[in-house]
Amino acid sequence: MPTHTMRAVRLHEHGGPEVLRYDEVPVPEPGPGEVLVRVHAVGVNPPDWYLRDGLTTMPGESESTVSLPVIPGTDMSGVVEAVAADVDGLAVGDEVFGLLRFPSFNGSAYAEYVAAPASDLARKPAGIDHVHAAGAPMAGLTAWQFLIEVGHDHPSPFQEARHRPTALDADTTVLINGAAGGVGHFALQLAKWKGARVIAVASGAHAPFLSELGADQFIDYTKSRPEELVHDIDLVLDTVGGPDSKRFLRTLKRGGAQFPVLPGDFDEEETVKLGVTVSSAQVRSNGAQLAELGRLLDAGTIHVAIDSTFALTDARAAHERAARGHIQGKIVLTVA
């Protein structure tokens, strides 16, 4: 069993990357339905820096569940150290990865140990290391739930209608905006797995990376406007969002759909006139879906790209890297 204290990164106040502190804290006790995991690697995701910056209420929550100091982080890969009495199917020594307790800010993954709901975990693919496994859960499940299967009945805080993925096959053309990022690079590979034709939009430096992942066409948004170059698209997945997102509606064919990963600014009259759908989902922890993703990772059908790694002690530098943008794949923290 571990010693009773561990190291973890915590926020004692909100602010820039400099507020991330490396503290000594008690090792958590796994509750019912949970296992204690010795963390080997932690994925860095946008909610981590939203929390650090001061967002403490998750979309769909009526009030904040955050009390300072708080350990950020939701994505991790590691080894099971202890198992609650009511947990079946996981044993001490099993290698696991997962997206913990999302949507909430209670993942507490930036730490040497974490208490994790067994239902949020899947077995780590044997063919990849902890660093690559830690990069997969949130971004991979976001791509999966938007494109393949939602996998739950929870209403989205962003819309009343249930999100319905577009059927992807050889007759489908998908445009992915922000294709080199965490969600984007998984979405590209999942769409290719389904046989779709994929147009990747990113900045020029990412062109070789995206063609290696299977993109059929690449558009450098710093040089040209995608909405002027392509038309008759079946599906746009926009991982970037913001007020510019609605320009992609003009690339769609009638009956096409745009899936904004971040809530955008759309005009219902315009979407009706164009005959297109705008639909969004909110990613949720899902061990069973992660196991499906794990099989694809194990087979080498899809790959996790690692932008950079930083030691847990250097979480500040990881957040500074995130703030510079143009991330290729995932930023991951390693835990000694």
Side-chain angles (χ1 to χ4, degrees), residues 64-291:
S64 168
T65 54
V66 174
S67 56
L68 297 176
V70 62
I71 302 172
T74 56
D75 273 7
M76 63 91 229
S77 182
V79 179
V80 175
E81 281 270 346
V83 180
D86 61 344
V87 171
D88 291 325
L90 284 176
V92 172
D94 286 346
E95 294 189 316
V96 291
F97 71 137
L99 166 65
L100 306 185
R101 300 187 184 87
F102 202 82
S104 82
F105 288 116
N106 305 322
S108 303
Y110 283 26
E112 291 178 325
Y113 293 90
V114 68
S119 60
D120 292 354
L121 300 175
R123 289 178 186 276
K124 180 184 78 63
I128 65 172
D129 62 17
H130 287 291
V131 167
H132 287 78
M138 178 174 282
L141 285 174
T142 300
W144 189 273
Q145 290 173 18
F146 268 85
L147 295 183
I148 309 296
E149 188 196 5
V150 178
H152 62 77
D153 289 321
H154 296 273
S156 164
F158 308 121
Q159 65 190 38
E160 283 177 25
R162 186 171 173 191
H163 175 71
R164 280 185 168 55
T166 298
L168 301 176
D169 56 34
D171 298 326
T172 325
T173 300
V174 180
L175 182 148
I176 299 172
N177 186 38
V183 174
H185 91 290
F186 283 116
L188 191 169
Q189 295 178 82
L190 289 174
K192 291 304 298 176
W193 170 58
K194 287 291 187 185
R197 182 171 174 269
V198 178
I199 300 167
V201 179
S203 62
H206 298 303
F209 168 65
L210 293 167
S211 77
E212 207 176 298
L213 291 184
D216 298 283
Q217 185 181 343
F218 173 75
I219 298 173
D220 178 352
Y221 71 84
T222 68
K223 299 213 169 91
S224 43
R225 296 184 72 75
E227 71 277 16
E228 290 166 8
L229 292 182
V230 294
H231 300 285
D232 291 324
I233 304 288
D234 297 285
L235 173 64
V236 169
L237 181 79
D238 182 11
T239 74
V240 179
D244 270 356
S245 192
K246 59 177 173 288
R247 68 198 169 104
F248 288 103
L249 294 173
R250 284 174 270 156
T251 67
L252 293 169
K253 61 167 67 154
R254 286 191 84 76
Q258 178 162 336
F259 296 167
V261 174
L262 304 162
D265 178 20
F266 296 93
D267 174 359
E268 205 174 329
E269 269 180 48
E270 184 187 13
T271 56
V272 169
K273 196 174 77 192
L274 292 168
V276 299
T277 308
V278 173
S279 179
S280 182
Q282 181 181 37
V283 66
R284 299 188 83 90
S285 299
N286 189 315
Q289 287 182 333
L290 201 55

Side-chain angles (χ1 to χ4, degrees), residues 1 8 293 316:
M1 280 298 290
L293 206 58
R316 172 183 176 166

